[in-house]
Structure formats: structure tokens, C-alpha cells
Amino acid sequence: MSDASLEAFRAEARAWLDENCPQSMRTPFGSEDEIVWGGRNGKFFSADAKLWLARMAERGWTAPIWPKQYGGGGLSNSENAVLQSELKRINARPALYSFGLWMLGPVLLEYANEEQKKEHLPKIARGEIRWCQGYSEPGAGSDLAGLQTKCEDKGDHWLINGQKVWTSYANYADWCFCLVRTDTSVKHEGISFVLIDMTTKGVETRPIKLISGASPFCETFFTDVKIPKENMVGRLNGGWEIAKRLLQYERTNISGFGSGARVDVVDIARDTIGLGDDGRLADGDLRARIAQHKMAERAYALTTQRAQEEAKAGQNVSHMASMFKVAGARLNIERCELMVEAAGSRAFGWSGDGFDRDELAVTRGWLRSKGNSIEGGTTEVNLNVVAKRVLGLRDTQ
Amino acid sequence: MTFTLNEEQTLLRDAARDFCREQAPVARLRKLRDDKKNGVDPELWREMATMGWAGILVPDEYGGAGLGYVGLGLVLEAAGRTLAASPLHSTAMVGASALLLGGSDAQKAEWLPKIASGECVVAFAVDEGAHHAPKRSLLKIAGGKISGSKKYVADGHIADLFIVAGPKDLYLVRANASGVSRQALITVDSRGAADMTFDDAPAEALAGGAELVERVLDRAAAGLAAEMLGQAQEAFEITGEYLKTRKQFGQVIGGFQALQHRAAKMFTEIELTRSCVLAALDALDRGAGDVAALASLAKARAGDTLHLVSNEFVQMHGGIGMTDEHDAGLYLKRARVAEALYGSASYHRDRYARLLGF
């Protein structure tokens, strides 16, 4: 696309955003409660949040690069880059957070049949259906392909029995994309990818309380759950390839997650420790480690930017997802640890009025970050992926 | 900011890689060392100048190629891959940029054509102690003459012209001027260097003051980071090949998870470093405002990464990595020198923190 038409698109996008993005949506989220996840039971923090989603969905810009016939915006990657920079320019909040947008949608576009695309993609783009991910099981964590949730062919339907764990927000989700075992005689080649309506009889969820006090994950139980034959994506026993592809999207996405904290570690340290006469943070050792962390963050940001440019230039960078997942998790965990250290005893609150909201967020964020190097594939599993797929190192036989 | 190379830059990169592999492989450095040449290889420098590299930064009107910092970085990276011993960094990066930024019309007209042709080798005399500390200078300046000493001046043993950093300014000092004496150093990286003494040596100030000193130091750091990136990349690739071929316990050692994870870590660090180096060089070409932070970022990351990779180069090769016969030692030796020159990782982390205001 020529520079001139891209600039025309920028002008168009800017004008539209100026007119359609409510002022209150041009500020950072005050808390996680303000995030819009959509779904049948989705709640909107404010009327503006609802309006913002409706307008973005109408325009197809919740899923800018999906084809228009599936509820997307039909933009090219270059146009999307322009749109994202315009959204960033006005500090616009994401209109919709969604596993459907980030993970399921891209693989449906690649692997689903036409009916499945028409049925599911527009509802994802409009935020009408909220999805959760049925991957891990009690006996299949890092060794995901060891999963046992059984899916039997009963002629006119599939019958599913088993248990999933770490299903993020399953208690709020309308549908679940799920890996199931359709052949017990082989491992990877016996897995299929199915879509399950969470309101189906026999589906139960139970939240898991974490060390942070929050419960973003659930256990999900399937007892004699019947699902229609058309709810399988791709071919029977062909689910592993889809599963891996989806993990690439998930890893890229998780690696981009921040702590959500509104405060910067340098500001915390300036407040609690202070600067010396030389203008340096008075704790020299902590200062050096914060500097190292800040530089690592910058290096990471530059590298994601480079990967995006290379992807646009047609170079295949999907193998980078595992690298970004490892590095992103490490950074977030490190940042959270540094914030707790810098905050001193101000980070040791749990609840009540003795600590302010930002201080409590530091503590909770730190505890939550411990999951970053586990969820979406542990750091160890992702290092295996880099070694084998990127560096071509052979597995031990 | 752009990370994508244009056609001209891609051609330059490929030509530089081919040239260094064919004309300046590691074996050439090894031979220089064995012949006790102390890093002096005027023939290689002439060939590099013929390729146009001495004048990459120099504009067309002064006989150069005007291909910019990203272009020069690509050549430095290629030279780093094979440990090519030449004054490319000190002359084409530091010398040319100091004159371009601070030289008068007359100074540019006198020196830039000679730099571009390879006729004049430049060295950057900054530090007066064992550590990089550009603000700590005891250099005395009076009546257009300077007195003082400089330690471990890279390429100082072969330079025709010195860019000398004083407390507030940069000065041009000719190697053959009165009062200039040098002690050639035989160094661990086989590249050579010199300790310099200036005793009432005639010096011409460049314009720009303390800001010019910083700007030239940024260029020295970013350029050396590019060379270090090349060293790390090559060391990593050689190590990767070894992991795929060396067998123990009846299998290739690359099959062991302990080594796989360390290899993945090196890969990640190199990729992160590459982005930093490119960003710093691109910022120099665009005249961006955050050059100083990006230059420190690039040098610190390159230092940490090269430190890691050069150590793993030896360790993952086991006993053979400890032998003089293997190249790993040559990379390790050059690594430590490059890590320290123009500021170690800890120096640049301190600087980065100051730039961020804490």
C-alpha cells in the first residue's frame, strides 16, 4: 500500500476516533473491574464503555484485520499498524478484551469451515460471546499432549467426559474451545479440537483461589456432555496442530501483558528511598538493578517492534512467540519483585485502610505475576520450543 | 524508527560479510598474532578502504559514500564476526563522526578526504585510568597546546591523527606533532593499542564543547556495540553447530536439555541486543532525541550478551575450547576488551539511570 493511501487512512481513522471514542475511554483503566470482556453476562463499567464497544464493533475495529464478512475491519497489516498508533495517540482503552479475539479467532480463520467461521467469528468480534480455553488437565500441564478428556463418537453427537484445569474465567465464559482425546492408542495424533457451549448439561466450573487472593482460573468438569457433530474444528484427530498454532497466539499475547500497575518502580523508589546529593537513588545496589530492568524492558519493546516490522515485511516470525513469552514473563516478574522491594513495608498490606489502592495493587500484582512463567506454557517448555524449533537442536532419544 | 534494511544497506551487509569471510577470516588475526604484528595490518585496511568502508559516514563531497550509521554498523558487525583487525571503528566511526559534528570547514576539508581514502588512521584518546571515565580528565590546555596522558588508546599504535578528549572539549592532535609520544601495547586481543603522552603538543579544538564529547562517545559506544553483536552472533553460531555434531553418551550433546536451555537463552539475548544496536544506529541516522539513552542501552546489552556468549563458547566446547588451537579463546579475549572500551555494561547502566533521572 502506498504511503499516500496509508496517510489518507490515518486521517480517516483519526477523524472517526475523534468523533466516536468517548472522552472517558481515553484514560488508563482505573482497575481490572473496568475491563470489558463481553459475553452474554458481560457487565459494562460505564455507559461509555458499552458505547465504545458498540461503535468499534460496528466499524469492525475490534478485529481490525479479520475479513469484513466475519465481523472484522478488513484492514491490511499496515493499516492496522496505523489504526493502533492512532488509538495509542489518544490513549484509547481497548474496547474489548477477549480470548476469542486473541486466540480462537485467528485459528478459526485458518482451520474452521465456512459455517463455523460465520457462526462464531462475528459474535467474537461484537463481544457477544465470551470464550474460555480448555487445555490443561490435572495430569497434563507442561505435557499437554498427555490430555485424557474423552470424546466419543455417538453417531449423531460427540460425548465428552473429563476434567480441565486452569481454564481462565470459565465461570464467566459462554463457550469453551477445548482439546479432547479421540484416540487413546496414539498421543499427539489422537487429539481433536472442539467447541463446547458452557450451558450444555453436564458442564460445571469451580473457581480456584490463588495466592494473590484472586480467582482468575477455574476447574471445569465435563460429565456426559453431548455436543453436536459440527462443533469439531479441523479433522478428527487433527487437533494438535491447531492447538499449537493457538498457543503461539496465546504466548504472543501473554508476553505483552503488563502488571497493570499504574505506578512506576522508579517513582516508588524515589518516594520511599529518596535521591542522594548526586541525584542518584540512595540505594546504589537497588538503583543498578532497576536500571538493568528498565534497559531490559526497553530492549524487549524494541524487539517486539522489530518483529512486527519483520512480520509486515513478510518474514516468518511465528517461532518467536516462545521467545517473547519467556522474556516477557521474566520481565513482568522482575518488575513486580523490584516494586515490592522498592516499596518496602508499604508492599506488605493485604486489605483495609492502612494501605492505599496502588500499594495493595503492587502486592497483589506481585503474587499474580508468579503465574506468568507457568501459564500459557512454562518458561521451561518454551525454552524447549526455542531450542528445538528455532535452533534445530535435536531431542534426546 | 525502522528496523528494516533498505536495498542499499542489504547489499552493503552482504558485501561486508563476503569480504570478511574471504579476506579477513579469524585465521588472519591468528597469523598476525603469531607473526607478532601486534594487530598491524595495513594491507587489510587498504582493502577495506577500497571497499569504501573508511568513508561510509563521510559525505560524497569529501570523497565518502555517505551511507550513514546503520550502514557502517552492518560493516562493523561483519568485521566483528571474523575478528577482523582494522582501525575501522576508530577511524570510520569515531574519527569521521567527530569531524563531521565538530570540525570547521577547513578541518573537514583537510581530514575527511584522507579518512575516506584510508590514508589517515584515527584513534580516540579518552581515558586516563584503567576504567572508562571521560569526565575525569587531567588534561591541561594552554595556548593551543595540550599536556597529559591517555591510557589504552585503541588503534593508538597505528594512528596518524588523534581525537583527544579533554575535560570540556575534543582536540585534534597529529601523531607526528612535537610533544606526542606513544608506548605501543601488546594486548590480549592481539589488536594492539597505545598509552599516549602529550607534552605541550599542538592541538586544535573541535567545536561543540562537552556536548560534542558526549555525542562522539555515543557514536563510539553504538559502533562498538555493532562489532560486539557480530562477535556474539558468530560465537553463538559456531557453538550451535558444535552442539549438533559433538557426541557424548552416544548422542549429540545438543539433545541435552541443560544445554538446550542455555542455547535458547543466548539466542534470546542476541535477538534483544540486535534490536538495541539497530535502534541506536537508526536514531543516529535520524538525529533522534534519545540517542544517548539508546547508545548506552546498546553498549550495555552488547556487553552483557557478549560476556555470556563468549563464556559459553568456551564452556560448551569443553576441553577443546581451552586450547589455543580453537578460535573460542580469540573471541573471549576480544570480548573482554570490547566490553570495557568506551564504558562497561555497569558504566552504561549508571548513565542510563542518570538519563532517566534516578
Side-chain angles (χ1 to χ4, degrees):
Chain A
M1 173 158 298
S2 74
D3 286 353
S5 60
L6 265 190
E7 282 317 300
F9 175 74
R10 182 184 297 280
E12 179 193 327
R14 185 175 293 192
W16 187 87
L17 290 173
D18 275 348
E19 192 162 326
N20 290 283
C21 182
Q23 285 303 324
S24 72
M25 293 292 105
R26 304 182 189 200
T27 57
F29 288 111
S31 76
E32 282 193 8
D33 305 337
E34 295 180 22
I35 292 173
V36 173
W37 285 95
R40 291 184 192 129
N41 308 309
K43 291 188 178 59
F44 291 96
F45 180 78
S46 66
D48 276 353
K50 189 172 183 180
L51 184 65
W52 178 221
L53 172 58
R55 285 174 174 171
M56 284 291 275
E58 169 69 29
R59 184 88 191 191
W61 284 358
T62 50
I65 60 172
W66 293 7
K68 282 188 174 169
Q69 70 262 37
Y70 305 129
L75 302 187
S76 67
N77 284 333
S78 320
E79 287 170 326
N80 186 34
V82 168
L83 173 63
Q84 297 308 321
S85 76
E86 286 302 313
L87 285 162
K88 198 172 165 189
R89 194 180 65 83
I90 58 168
N91 296 315
R93 297 180 180 190
L96 179 64
Y97 274 50
S98 158
F99 297 147
L101 282 179
W102 302 330
M103 298 189 233
L104 179 62
V107 299
L108 286 183
L109 281 169
E110 204 170 328
Y111 294 97
N113 62 37
E114 189 57 29
E115 287 69 35
Q116 291 167 332
K117 289 183 198 174
K118 275 194 199 142
E119 169 62 24
H120 296 292
L121 290 171
K123 292 178 184 170
I124 292 172
R126 292 195 298 264
E128 289 169 10
I129 292 295
R130 182 171 180 179
W131 286 83
C132 66
Q133 177 186 31
Y135 266 42
S136 296
E137 296 179 6
S142 285
D143 184 12
L144 180 61
L147 61 95
Q148 297 300 332
T149 292
K150 200 162 52 168
C151 174
E152 295 168 277
D153 189 343
K154 294 291 179 185
D156 63 342
H157 66 273
W158 302 107
L159 184 70
I160 297 176
N161 278 286
Q163 183 196 340
K164 294 289 172 182
V165 71
W166 307 121
T167 15
S168 305
Y169 305 114
N171 47 339
Y172 303 119
D174 305 307
W175 278 70
C176 178
F177 50 91
C178 199
L179 296 179
V180 291
R181 180 148 303 286
T182 36
D183 185 343
T184 51
S185 66
V186 282
K187 192 172 178 181
H188 298 81
E189 297 77 20
I191 293 170
S192 299
F193 192 99
V194 295
L195 308 176
I196 302 173
D197 185 333
M198 295 293 278
T199 60
T200 315
K201 185 164 170 274
V203 179
E204 268 181 278
T205 65
R206 191 156 67 204
I208 303 168
K209 191 170 179 180
L210 298 185
I211 52 176
S212 65
S215 302
F217 301 107
C218 292
E219 295 175 291
T220 304
F221 302 89
F222 301 107
T223 313
D224 289 334
V225 173
K226 292 180 184 177
I227 64 165
K229 284 311 252 308
E230 61 263 30
N231 283 18
M232 185 172 286
V233 178
R235 62 178 176 81
L236 179 65
N237 295 322
W240 186 245
E241 185 190 339
I242 306 175
K244 282 192 298 181
R245 193 86 182 106
L246 189 140
L247 278 175
Q248 287 183 348
Y249 290 109
E250 178 180 11
R251 284 166 184 165
T252 308
N253 190 257
I254 289 181
S255 60
F257 259 48
S259 66
R262 299 185 306 163
V263 284
D264 187 272
V265 59
V266 172
D267 295 327
I268 297 178
R270 274 204 204 98
D271 285 352
T272 56
I273 299 168
L275 303 181
D277 295 338
D278 57 1
R280 289 178 164 92
L281 197 65
D283 180 338
D285 180 73
L286 179 62
R287 172 178 183 269
R289 286 182 289 124
I290 291 175
Q292 182 151 33
H293 174 75
K294 286 280 171 194
M295 295 170 89
E297 276 187 335
R298 186 87 191 264
Y300 181 82
L302 289 167
T303 306
T304 52
Q305 197 182 335
R306 178 161 70 90
Q308 280 164 12
E309 276 187 31
E310 286 170 359
K312 251 185 274 173
Q315 297 170 45
N316 180 18
V317 291
S318 58
H319 62 271
M320 301 288 265
S322 285
M323 184 191 92
F324 284 121
K325 168 67 172 59
V326 171
R330 189 175 65 203
L331 273 179
N332 201 45
I333 290 168
E334 187 177 88
R335 179 175 53 238
C336 290
E337 286 287 358
L338 284 169
M339 293 215 290
V340 166
E341 186 178 344
S345 62
R346 302 307 302 158
F348 298 151
W350 183 252
S351 60
D353 296 334
F355 298 89
D356 70 29
R357 195 172 74 163
D358 287 342
E359 289 167 344
L360 292 172
V362 165
T363 314
R364 303 290 181 121
W366 161 65
L367 289 164
R368 175 64 187 89
S369 74
K370 295 301 169 195
N372 295 160
S373 49
I374 301 168
E375 60 206 312
T378 62
T379 288
E380 290 72 17
V381 160
N382 278 299
L383 289 173
N384 287 348
V385 172
V386 173
K388 291 182 183 95
R389 307 242 173 82
V390 184
L391 305 180
L393 296 174
R394 283 200 341 215
D395 219 344
T396 307
Q397 293 305 313
Chain B
M1 174 96 48
T2 174
F3 291 101
T4 346
L5 302 182
N6 61 33
E7 198 184 336
E8 192 175 62
Q9 289 164 337
T10 309
L11 288 172
L12 180 62
R13 180 195 64 191
D14 294 347
R17 276 193 195 167
D18 290 347
F19 175 90
C20 291
R21 292 234 184 280
E22 285 155 26
Q23 308 297 319
V26 183
R28 185 159 181 160
L29 175 74
R30 184 178 285 280
K31 184 164 190 315
L32 275 185
R33 180 196 68 171
D34 295 345
D35 293 348
K36 304 204 182 315
K37 294 281 174 57
N38 199 22
V40 183
D41 191 349
E43 182 57 32
L44 176 59
W45 180 235
R46 257 196 301 281
E47 290 168 27
M48 286 183 166
T50 307
M51 299 288 289
W53 299 347
I56 285 185
L57 291 185
V58 176
D60 184 50
E61 55 181 304
Y62 295 111
L67 291 177
Y69 290 97
V70 170
L72 179 53
L74 294 168
V75 178
L76 284 164
E77 184 185 336
R81 272 180 171 262
T82 64
L83 303 180
S86 82
L88 182 66
H89 177 267
S90 49
T91 303
M93 174 59 89
V94 183
S97 58
L99 279 152
L100 284 168
L101 295 171
S104 64
D105 287 347
Q107 286 166 331
K108 286 183 194 168
E110 177 174 10
W111 294 109
L112 287 175
K114 289 182 189 161
I115 285 176
S117 69
E119 199 181 322
C120 171
V121 168
V122 186
F124 190 21
V126 185
D127 292 308
E128 297 173 19
H131 291 276
H132 183 59
K135 293 204 162 68
R136 228 176 291 153
S137 173
L138 300 174
L139 205 73
K140 297 276 185 294
I141 301 102
K145 295 191 169 177
I146 62 168
S147 295
S149 65
K150 293 287 180 183
K151 297 288 184 201
Y152 210 97
V153 176
D155 301 313
H157 60 315
I158 53 171
D160 305 297
L161 178 71
F162 290 88
I163 310 283
V164 182
K168 292 194 191 94
D169 289 286
L170 290 184
Y171 301 89
L172 290 179
V173 179
R174 290 160 207 258
N176 60 8
S178 63
V180 177
S181 56
R182 59 182 146 196
Q183 158 92 54
L185 303 172
I186 297 162
T187 62
V188 68
D189 62 352
S190 305
R191 293 279 290 265
D195 282 350
M196 303 298 306
T197 307
F198 302 103
D199 184 7
D200 270 339
E204 296 172 34
L206 291 171
E211 196 189 320
L212 176 69
V213 181
E214 288 288 311
R215 294 176 77 192
V216 173
L217 283 167
D218 284 339
R219 284 152 178 81
L224 193 56
E227 184 196 312
M228 293 160 77
L229 173 66
Q231 290 169 43
Q233 183 73 47
E234 185 76 9
F236 175 67
E237 286 174 15
I238 296 171
T239 305
E241 278 310 304
Y242 191 68
L243 292 177
K244 288 177 196 169
T245 48
R246 168 70 173 168
K247 284 190 173 171
Q248 288 287 273
F249 304 103
Q251 62 165 85
V252 291
I253 59 173
F256 294 118
Q257 198 178 40
L259 295 183
Q260 290 182 345
H261 285 192
R262 279 156 59 192
K265 158 102 174 151
M266 284 195 275
F267 170 77
T268 305
E269 295 302 323
I270 290 171
E271 287 301 315
L272 291 168
T273 301
R274 178 173 298 285
S275 315
C276 297
V277 170
L278 271 170
L281 295 166
D282 177 63
L284 286 169
D285 276 332
R286 285 182 301 106
D290 54 352
V291 161
L294 286 171
S296 276
L297 178 67
K299 184 62 172 51
R301 295 289 311 181
D304 286 340
T305 300
L306 184 56
H307 193 89
L308 170 76
V309 176
S310 60
N311 279 339
E312 292 284 48
F313 194 4
V314 175
Q315 177 66 23
M316 289 189 177
H317 277 78
I320 188 79
M322 284 297 294
T323 63
D324 183 66
E325 185 192 347
H326 198 274
D327 287 340
L330 296 173
Y331 282 84
L332 181 71
K333 292 165 184 173
R334 177 59 186 163
R336 290 305 174 277
V337 174
E339 283 167 51
L341 267 179
Y342 312 118
S344 64
S346 68
Y347 173 88
H348 283 286
R349 281 194 287 271
D350 174 73
R351 184 166 180 258
Y352 194 87
R354 261 189 292 123
L355 291 166
L356 257 61
F358 71 99

